[in-house]
Amino acid sequence: MNIPENLKFTKDHEWVKIDGGVATVGITDFAQNELGDIVFVEIETEDEDLEKEEVFGTIEAVKTVSDLYMPVSGKIIEVNEELENEPEKVNKEPYDGGWMVKIEMADPDQAEDLLSAAQYKELIG
């Protein structure tokens, strides 16, 4: 199970990479493994301001559909358009090519509430 030490995590299995005031978000290796083969990623919230824990999109696997939650409040400034034609990137490279959105954080201090890699490992057991 790949859990990079340089990322932050949510209890909903999103990972967050903080770069200044921008947060790049995707789902964890654990989450993509639990979902199985990803067939569709739908994110129609680009340019929208959303609150922490609001739904910013959905991810569909062969067996289920799951909501994607904002790890921090802010504006979605970029959506990974490659996932439209290649949703399987989420399975193959969840921390690289499989990222989903970039958020201009409204309150960067919210990132302090996210889980560390060690805390996330403890959460998933």
Side-chain angles (χ1 to χ4, degrees):
M1 188 72 50
N2 184 8
I3 304 173
E5 294 290 327
N6 64 320
L7 301 177
K8 297 283 194 176
F9 300 89
T10 71
K11 62 181 178 4
D12 298 309
H13 309 289
E14 282 93 15
W15 60 262
V16 185
K17 180 181 179 188
I18 307 292
D19 185 11
V22 175
T24 302
V25 180
I27 66 167
T28 65
D29 189 31
F30 174 82
Q32 70 78 23
N33 191 50
E34 291 290 302
L35 287 168
D37 293 335
I38 308 294
V39 294
F40 191 64
V41 177
E42 182 175 36
I43 301 168
E44 297 181 351
T45 49
E46 190 166 10
D47 295 326
E48 288 186 26
D49 288 300
L50 299 171
E51 295 298 316
K52 180 179 178 177
E53 298 182 359
E54 267 192 272
V55 174
F56 71 81
T58 57
I59 187 165
E60 184 176 338
V62 174
K63 300 177 198 167
T64 188
V65 176
S66 292
D67 287 332
L68 298 165
Y69 298 97
M70 293 285 285
V72 293
S73 299
K75 180 178 185 174
I76 302 217
I77 56 172
E78 188 177 345
V79 172
N80 185 350
E81 301 202 359
E82 289 182 13
L83 298 182
E84 204 170 301
N85 296 318
E86 297 179 80
E88 67 276 5
K89 277 191 169 201
V90 176
N91 291 117
K92 292 178 185 166
E93 42 184 302
Y95 300 113
D96 298 309
W99 66 273
M100 297 181 177
V101 295
K102 292 189 180 184
I103 302 165
E104 186 178 285
M105 295 186 289
D107 179 4
D109 289 344
Q110 285 182 338
E112 294 173 20
D113 297 333
L114 298 171
L115 303 174
S116 68
Q119 291 168 316
Y120 184 69
K121 282 179 194 167
E122 197 173 297
L123 174 77
I124 62 174

